[in-house]
Coordinates of all heavy atoms in Angstrom, one line a residue:
K1442 N 5.1 14.1 1.2 CA 5.2 15.2 2.1 C 4.4 16.4 1.6 O 3.7 17.1 2.3 CB 6.6 15.7 2.1 CG 7.0 16.7 3.1 CD 8.5 16.9 3.5 CE 8.8 17.9 4.4 NZ 8.6 19.2 3.8
E1466 N -11.4 -0.2 -6.1 CA -10.6 -1.5 -6.2 C -11.4 -2.6 -5.4 O -11.5 -3.7 -5.9 CB -9.3 -1.4 -5.6 CG -8.2 -0.7 -6.4 CD -7.0 -0.3 -5.8 OE1 -6.8 -0.8 -4.6 OE2 -6.2 0.5 -6.3
E1470 N -13.0 -6.1 -6.6 CA -12.6 -7.4 -6.0 C -13.8 -8.2 -5.5 O -14.0 -9.4 -5.7 CB -11.7 -7.2 -4.7 CG -10.2 -6.9 -5.2 CD -9.5 -6.3 -4.0 OE1 -10.0 -6.4 -2.8 OE2 -8.4 -5.7 -4.3
I1515 N -21.8 4.5 10.5 CA -21.4 5.5 11.4 C -22.5 5.9 12.4 O -23.7 6.2 11.9 CB -21.1 6.9 10.7 CG1 -20.1 6.7 9.6 CG2 -20.6 8.0 11.6 CD1 -19.6 8.1 9.1
T1596 N -7.3 0.1 14.5 CA -8.3 1.0 15.0 C -7.7 2.4 15.1 O -6.6 2.6 15.5 CB -8.7 0.6 16.4 OG1 -9.1 -0.8 16.4 CG2 -9.8 1.5 16.9
M1626 N -22.0 29.2 13.7 CA -21.0 29.2 14.7 C -21.0 27.8 15.4 O -22.0 27.0 15.2 CB -21.4 30.2 15.8 CG -22.7 30.0 16.4 SD -23.2 31.3 17.6 CE -21.8 31.1 18.7
K1646 N -16.9 29.6 18.3 CA -16.2 30.1 17.2 C -17.2 30.4 16.1 O -18.1 29.6 15.8 CB -15.2 29.2 16.5 CG -14.7 28.0 17.3 CD -13.8 27.1 16.4 CE -14.4 25.7 16.3 NZ -13.4 24.7 15.9
V1665 N -32.1 25.5 -3.2 CA -32.6 25.4 -1.8 C -33.4 26.8 -1.6 O -33.0 27.9 -2.1 CB -31.4 25.4 -0.8 CG1 -31.8 25.8 0.5 CG2 -30.8 24.0 -0.9
N1676 N -27.4 33.9 19.0 CA -27.4 35.3 19.4 C -26.1 35.8 19.9 O -25.9 37.1 20.0 CB -28.5 35.6 20.6 CG -29.8 35.3 20.0 OD1 -30.2 35.6 18.9 ND2 -30.7 34.8 20.9
Y1678 N -23.5 35.1 18.1 CA -22.7 35.1 16.9 C -21.8 36.4 16.8 O -22.3 37.5 17.1 CB -23.6 35.1 15.6 CG -22.8 35.3 14.4 CD1 -22.1 34.1 13.8 CD2 -22.7 36.5 13.7 CE1 -21.4 34.3 12.6 CE2 -21.9 36.7 12.6 CZ -21.3 35.6 12.0 OH -20.6 35.8 10.8
R1699 N -37.2 31.6 2.7 CA -37.4 31.4 4.2 C -36.1 31.3 4.9 O -35.3 30.5 4.5 CB -38.2 30.2 4.5 CG -39.7 30.4 4.4 CD -40.4 29.1 4.9 NE -41.8 29.1 4.8 CZ -42.5 28.0 5.0 NH1 -42.0 26.9 5.3 NH2 -43.9 28.2 4.9
T1780 N -38.2 22.7 44.0 CA -39.3 22.4 45.0 C -40.5 22.5 44.3 O -40.6 22.9 43.1 CB -39.2 23.5 46.0 OG1 -39.5 24.8 45.4 CG2 -38.0 23.7 46.8
G1809 N -19.4 15.6 35.3 CA -18.5 16.7 34.8 C -19.2 18.1 34.8 O -18.5 19.1 34.7
N1839 N -51.3 25.8 24.9 CA -50.9 26.2 23.6 C -52.0 26.8 22.9 O -53.2 26.2 23.0 CB -50.1 25.0 22.8 CG -51.1 24.1 22.2 OD1 -51.9 24.5 21.3 ND2 -51.0 22.9 22.5
D1892 N -57.6 23.5 8.1 CA -59.0 23.1 8.4 C -59.2 22.7 9.9 O -60.1 23.1 10.5 CB -59.5 22.0 7.6 CG -59.5 22.5 6.1 OD1 -59.8 23.7 5.8 OD2 -59.2 21.6 5.2
F1897 N -50.8 18.9 17.8 CA -49.6 19.7 17.4 C -49.5 19.7 15.8 O -48.4 20.2 15.3 CB -48.3 19.1 18.0 CG -48.3 19.5 19.4 CD1 -48.5 18.5 20.4 CD2 -48.1 20.8 19.9 CE1 -48.4 18.8 21.8 CE2 -48.0 21.1 21.2 CZ -48.2 20.1 22.2

Side-chain angles (χ1 to χ4, degrees):
K1442 187 164 179 288
E1466 279 169 17
E1470 280 163 16
I1515 305 192
T1596 304
M1626 61 182 301
K1646 343 177 239 199
V1665 168
N1676 295 327
Y1678 171 81
R1699 268 185 186 173
T1780 63
N1839 82 57
D1892 297 322
F1897 289 109

